[in-house]
Amino acid sequence: MALVAIEFRQMTADDYEQVGNVEARAFYNKPSPERDAITRDLIPPDWTVVAEVDGRIVAAVRTVPHVRRMHGAKMGFGAVGPVSCLAPYRRRGLVARLLVLAMEKMRERNQVLSGLHTPHDSLYRRFGWERGESKIAYSFGPKDVRLRFRSAGGHTDGVGEADWQRVDRLFQEKHRNANGPFLRGEQWWKYAVLGHFERDKFVDYDAVVWVDRDGADQGYVAYTNRNMAPAGQWIPQEVWIRDFVALTSDAYVGLWEHMLTHDLAEKISVEMHPADPFRHICDDPFNVQTREPDGAMIRVVDVEKAFEQRPYLGTRPASVVARISDRHLPWNDGAWRIEGAEGQTRAERTNAAPDVEMDANALAALFTGFLRPAVAVTTGFARLNRPEALPEMEQLFAVADAPFCPDYY
């Protein structure tokens, strides 16, 4: 089929039905009036860019604005997804152009970082995204796990979407100085944490708050059940934990005690911070299966402003000249002097010879702390031209915690 007229543009209020049809069909679902109505209510048209062929929308890329925490700093962030294209129009460069257009819009809106979740790493690496966050996942039968410790007292209190501010206070306290979590607003809490749209219907999750003996909220857990593969005449159930936050050891143990009461389920599954110690509070840790699921792919959208917003955690002033290759975003491409001192980081263009050379992918993984400079230069992610620059890079890209975001998008 010959492409007669192609236009890449921002979505308008008249495009919701067409975009909803593209997104549903691209992921092998059926268009849903309920989904379209929720999209109209929650998603402004200027969050989405579309490709129109002969007057018909055939591909779309959405970017949801967020604010990402990084050790006390707040950074503008563009969460990409879904990326959709009708099957007959794939592999024609439409999505490639939309991804670049989306990043141009991000830069205009001071979204200095971007992220996306995908099983297609090789595709998105071509456009500068790289794995930049980590997780640990647990899966176990609730009847197979006994805890080594018991909570000292307290109780759970059921909550729903109307209580989002109650759980948000706990979330904010837990992640105040973390590396990766978003600032969550009311709509995100209601539609992405305490509930979720699954195919053709909206599902409320179960959630409880842990209240200590003094009556203070100290943690919460949100979860849901979902069907597993049928086993004979029964359909086994999996309890999937969407969000788990504990401010105290008592809340941590108490919330796990609560989850273990769901012993009619075949399995409990959860993804946690990579340093989470759950297996180690179990009497037999080998009854808990673990894996390391992929975190989000991250991309630096604006080098200058991203470093301006990034806190400096080095123990002394440091400076390095980095040649960054970015073939899709010309405002990033070139040599940069990156400096850090007294809690502040900055990057400015320079004509100086580079101490280190890297592409946008390596920069993304270094920026979040997912990849250490010493590993980057010994594995091919970065080329070191001056050996003395490596300790400087270790200072500049230091983090206090592994990058982790509990949200999918």
Side-chain angles (χ1 to χ4, degrees):
M1 178 187 297
L3 300 183
V4 177
I6 305 176
E7 183 181 3
F8 300 96
R9 60 174 175 82
Q10 191 166 279
M11 177 182 168
T12 71
D14 297 326
D15 296 330
Y16 279 104
E17 184 176 350
Q18 281 198 74
V19 171
N21 179 67
V22 169
E23 291 175 351
R25 291 177 58 193
F27 294 99
Y28 309 106
N29 297 320
K30 293 182 178 180
S32 162
E34 184 177 1
R35 181 189 292 272
D36 288 346
I38 290 178
T39 301
R40 286 180 181 273
D41 289 342
L42 299 180
I43 307 296
D46 61 1
W47 291 1
T48 305
V49 290
V50 300
E52 191 175 73
V53 176
D54 294 338
R56 176 192 180 199
I57 294 175
V58 300
V61 172
R62 178 169 299 132
T63 303
V64 178
H66 280 281
V67 176
R68 183 187 190 273
R69 289 187 180 275
M70 191 171 192
H71 302 322
K74 299 173 183 178
M75 314 181 74
F77 189 90
V80 176
V83 176
S84 52
C85 184
L86 296 179
Y89 298 90
R90 293 174 186 167
R91 294 179 174 81
R92 299 190 184 190
L94 301 180
V95 167
R97 180 67 189 96
L98 287 179
L99 289 171
V100 175
L101 178 59
M103 288 189 283
E104 292 170 356
K105 298 291 185 184
M106 289 183 223
R107 188 190 186 210
E108 293 173 4
R109 295 165 182 166
N110 199 31
Q111 294 165 358
V112 300
L113 294 182
S114 173
L116 53 83
H117 288 273
T118 180
H120 307 296
D121 288 45
S122 61
L123 168 62
Y124 291 99
R125 281 195 191 118
R126 296 204 298 267
F127 299 94
W129 279 275
E130 184 71 31
R131 292 291 170 186
E133 296 175 349
S134 57
K135 303 177 181 181
I136 187 170
Y138 304 124
S139 179
F140 56 90
K143 293 180 181 178
D144 300 328
V145 168
R146 291 186 178 183
L147 302 180
R148 296 169 58 193
F149 316 115
R150 295 188 61 84
S151 59
H155 67 275
T156 54
D157 188 9
V159 292
E161 66 174 42
D163 305 295
W164 72 270
Q165 290 176 306
R166 182 178 177 184
V167 291
D168 184 59
R169 285 191 293 270
L170 297 165
F171 180 83
Q172 299 290 356
E173 178 63 25
K174 177 70 174 181
H175 297 300
R176 189 176 309 280
N177 295 307
N179 178 11
F182 295 153
L183 292 180
R184 291 174 174 173
E186 178 179 1
Q187 300 305 322
W188 192 259
W189 273 107
K190 290 183 175 181
Y191 291 97
V193 182
L194 299 175
H196 185 68
F197 197 85
E198 294 181 2
R199 294 187 179 273
D200 60 347
K201 62 179 180 179
F202 185 80
V203 178
D204 289 316
Y205 289 165
D206 293 313
V208 297
V209 168
W210 178 261
V211 183
D212 68 15
R213 290 179 298 181
D214 297 324
D217 293 351
Q218 298 291 359
Y220 71 88
V221 60
Y223 55 95
T224 189
N225 67 292
R226 51 195 184 189
N227 294 340
M228 299 174 64
Q233 61 179 322
W234 304 107
I235 300 178
Q237 295 293 298
E238 174 190 28
V239 173
W240 178 65
I241 298 175
R242 165 61 180 88
D243 214 25
F244 189 110
V245 163
L247 302 184
T248 65
S249 60
D250 196 51
Y252 185 84
V253 174
L255 290 170
W256 277 119
E257 289 174 339
H258 171 79
M259 293 311 305
L260 292 176
T261 65
H262 294 77
D263 55 4
L264 294 181
E266 184 76 14
K267 183 170 67 172
I268 294 176
S269 299
V270 64
E271 294 178 351
M272 303 284 278
H273 187 285
D276 182 83
F278 175 67
R279 284 185 81 240
H280 304 293
I281 72 164
C282 296
D283 185 58
D284 188 347
F286 292 98
N287 285 339
V288 180
Q289 289 74 51
T290 63
R291 59 184 179 88
E292 296 182 10
D294 292 319
M297 299 189 81
I298 301 294
R299 207 226 199 269
V300 176
V301 175
D302 190 317
V303 167
E304 182 177 12
K305 291 185 178 179
F307 277 103
E308 184 180 285
Q309 296 180 24
R310 190 188 194 277
Y312 182 62
L313 275 71
T315 58
R316 58 171 177 80
S319 176
V320 70
V321 175
R323 173 65 174 89
I324 298 170
S325 174
D326 193 334
R327 64 191 183 95
H328 293 290
L329 305 184
W331 57 82
N332 285 344
D333 191 74
W336 295 86
R337 184 180 302 280
I338 305 170
E339 298 177 322
E342 298 181 350
Q344 301 293 318
T345 312
R346 67 171 184 163
E348 61 181 10
R349 288 197 174 274
T350 180
N351 293 320
D355 302 317
V356 62
E357 300 175 47
M358 68 183 79
D359 60 15
N361 304 81
L363 175 64
L366 287 166
F367 191 93
T368 64
F370 181 78
L371 182 68
R372 287 191 57 193
V375 176
V377 301
T378 57
T379 55
F381 278 91
R383 176 182 174 183
L384 193 64
N385 297 329
R386 185 172 67 88
E388 295 81 6
L390 183 55
E392 301 292 288
M393 292 177 63
E394 295 284 0
Q395 292 287 320
L396 287 165
F397 292 106
V399 293
D401 191 20
F404 165 74
C405 181
D407 288 314
Y408 275 97
Y409 41 89

